[in-house]
Amino acid sequence: MRTRITVPDDSLTRLRIALTVFFALDGFVFAGWVVRIPAIKEQTGASASALGLALLGVSAGAVITMMLTGRLCRRYGTHRVTVVCAVLLSLSVALPPLTHSAVALGAVLLIFGAAYGSINVAFNSAAVDLVGALRRPIMPSFHAAFSLGGMLGAGLGGLVAGALSPTRHLFGLTVIGLLVTAVAGRTLLRIPAPTRSREVPQQTSEPRRKGTRTRGLVVTFGLIALCTAYGEGALADWSALHLEHDLEATPGVAAVGYSCFALAMTIGRLTGTRLLERLGQTRTLVGGGTTAALGMLLGALAPSVWAALLGFMITGLGLANLFPVAVERAGRLAGPDGVAIASTLGYGGMLLGPPAIGFMADWFSLPAALTSVAALAATAALIALLTRRAAG
C-alpha cells in the first residue's frame, strides 16, 4: 500500500524545525531531572530499592498514557497533543524536589511519566507523517535532537549542581520549557498535519496471509527497541550515582557521565543515515548492539572515572541508531500501527529499566546491575542477526 502526503514544501520545512525543537526540549528536560536524582535521593532518604520503586512511577505513568495518547492524537491531532503534553512536561518537572519521601516522589513521578510518555507518542507520530511527506529517512535526525537536548540538559545540570538547589534548577527548567513551547508551539499549531490518501493495493490477499508473521516481526523489532532503550533509561537514571558513589566522583563530574553518553548518541545519530547506506540495517543493528555491550562492560566495571566515561561514550555510539532502525522496520511492515507497537515497547524498556537496576543494585551491587545493559544490548544484536532473512 502506498501513501501520498501533500503539504507545501515551506510548511514541511517549518514543521520539521518545530518538531526538532520539541524532540530537543524533551531530552533537555528529562536530562535535567535525571542529573539531580542523587540530590533528590538524599533529600528523600530513599534506599536504592525505594528509589527504584519511586522511579517506577515514571514507567507506570508513561505506559498508561501511551495507551491513551494514540486515541487523543486521532481525535485532536498529533500537533495539538504535542503542545499540550509539552506544557504538562514542563510543569511536572518542578515537582520532584518538593517531595520529602519515596512515596511522595513516586506520586509526582507518576505525573511526570504521564507527560513524558504522552509527548513521546505524540511527536513520534507527527514525525512519522512528516518522514512520509518528505520521503527521506530523516527519523534519526529527530532522535539526534533528543540526544542533543539530553546532552545540553545534563551539561547544564553539571554546571549548576554545586550552585543551585534541585528546586531552583528544575523550576528553571519549567520556565525554559514553557517559553520554548510558546514559541515552537505556535508554528506547530498553525501547520496542519500532513494528510494521507491511500491507494488500494492490487493484491489484498497477500497481507492477510502474512498477518500473523508480520505481527510477530513487528513485536520482534519492538523487542530490539526495548533492549536498547533499556540501556538509555538505565544510564539516564543511574550513571551519575555509579560515578559518584562507586567511583567517588564529585557531583559535577558525575553529572558529566550522562552528558558524555548523550553526546555519543547525538554523534551516532547525526551520522546514522550514512552508516545505514554503507552497512545496511542488519549490520548496523548487529554492530551497534555488540559495540554497546562491550562499552557498557567497560563503563560498569572500570576502576576509574575516566575509563567509565569512555565506556559510556562507546555505549552511546553503539545504541545510537538501534531504536530508530527498529521503529522504521516495524513501520515498513505494518505502517503506523507497527510504529506504535515498537515505540511503546521501546519506551517501556527505557522507563522500566531504571527500577530493575535499583532492585539488582540492592541484591548485588550497582556495577553488577549495570552489566544487564550489556546483556540486553547483546540480545538485541542476536535478535537482529537471527531475523535478518525474515526482515529482508
Side-chain angles (χ1 to χ4, degrees):
M1 180 178 294
R2 290 180 295 175
T3 302
R4 290 180 179 176
I5 308 176
T6 57
V7 172
D9 290 342
D10 58 339
S11 296
L12 293 179
T13 300
R14 289 186 285 119
L15 179 57
R16 180 179 180 180
I17 293 173
L19 284 175
T20 300
V21 169
F22 278 108
F23 270 85
L25 176 64
D26 186 45
F28 180 80
V29 171
F30 189 75
W33 142 247
V34 299
V35 299
R36 301 316 295 258
I37 287 178
I40 294 176
K41 177 180 182 293
E42 182 178 353
Q43 175 180 303
T44 58
S47 64
S49 59
L51 179 62
L53 283 174
L55 293 174
L56 190 60
V58 179
S59 307
V63 169
I64 292 172
T65 53
M66 280 179 174
M67 298 176 182
L68 301 175
T69 304
R71 296 179 181 179
L72 294 176
C73 289
R74 286 193 297 271
R75 182 171 182 178
Y76 300 105
T78 56
H79 294 181
R80 289 182 180 179
V81 176
T82 296
V83 173
V84 171
C85 291
V87 172
L88 296 177
L89 182 71
S90 300
L91 293 174
S92 61
V93 75
L95 299 178
L98 304 179
T99 62
H100 297 280
S101 69
V103 174
L105 179 62
V108 300
L109 289 181
L110 186 68
I111 302 173
F112 180 71
Y116 180 76
S118 295
I119 193 173
N120 275 276
V121 171
F123 62 38
N124 268 290
S125 298
V128 167
D129 289 339
L130 182 58
V131 168
L134 294 174
R135 298 182 182 180
R136 294 179 57 198
I138 62 170
M139 199 67 169
S141 69
F142 292 120
H143 290 266
F146 174 84
S147 298
L148 179 60
M151 181 191 68
L152 294 176
L156 177 63
L159 291 175
V160 304
L164 294 180
S165 66
T167 301
R168 292 184 177 181
H169 175 204
L170 297 186
F171 179 75
L173 295 186
T174 295
V175 175
I176 293 173
L178 292 176
L179 290 175
V180 171
T181 300
V183 175
R186 292 180 62 187
T187 300
L188 203 61
L189 292 176
R190 287 178 177 177
I191 301 176
T195 56
R196 296 167 176 257
S197 60
R198 297 182 177 180
E199 295 181 3
V200 179
Q202 295 179 350
Q203 297 180 351
T204 58
S205 59
E206 185 67 13
R208 292 177 184 174
R209 289 199 296 267
K210 293 185 177 181
T212 301
R213 175 176 176 270
T214 298
R215 285 193 293 270
L217 284 173
V218 168
V219 172
T220 299
F221 296 138
L223 291 177
I224 293 177
L226 185 151
C227 289
T228 57
Y230 174 97
E232 189 170 352
L235 282 168
D237 282 3
W238 293 101
S239 60
L241 280 172
H242 171 55
L243 293 173
E244 187 172 341
H245 292 176
D246 297 321
L247 300 179
E248 299 181 351
T250 63
V253 173
V256 170
Y258 182 68
S259 182
C260 289
F261 172 77
L263 173 62
M265 290 277 288
T266 304
I267 294 172
R269 286 172 170 172
L270 287 174
T271 59
T273 299
R274 182 173 299 178
L275 185 68
L276 287 168
E277 290 173 347
R278 290 190 176 185
L279 300 181
Q281 292 186 340
T282 297
R283 290 182 180 180
T284 298
L285 289 174
V286 174
T290 303
T291 299
L294 295 175
M296 197 60 233
L297 287 176
L298 176 62
L301 304 178
S304 67
V305 172
W306 303 112
L309 292 176
L310 176 61
F312 291 163
M313 293 193 71
I314 295 173
T315 304
L317 288 173
L319 293 180
N321 293 297
L322 302 192
F323 186 93
V325 170
V327 170
E328 181 187 353
R329 279 190 165 187
R332 286 197 303 174
L333 284 169
D337 289 339
V339 172
I341 293 171
S343 297
T344 300
L345 286 171
Y347 283 108
M350 179 185 292
L351 297 170
L352 291 174
I357 294 290
F359 283 111
M360 287 187 285
D362 269 355
W363 294 335
F364 306 105
S365 67
L366 183 53
L370 288 173
T371 61
S372 64
V373 175
L376 287 182
T379 300
L382 181 61
I383 293 174
L385 184 63
L386 295 176
T387 59
R388 64 188 184 279
R389 292 183 179 178

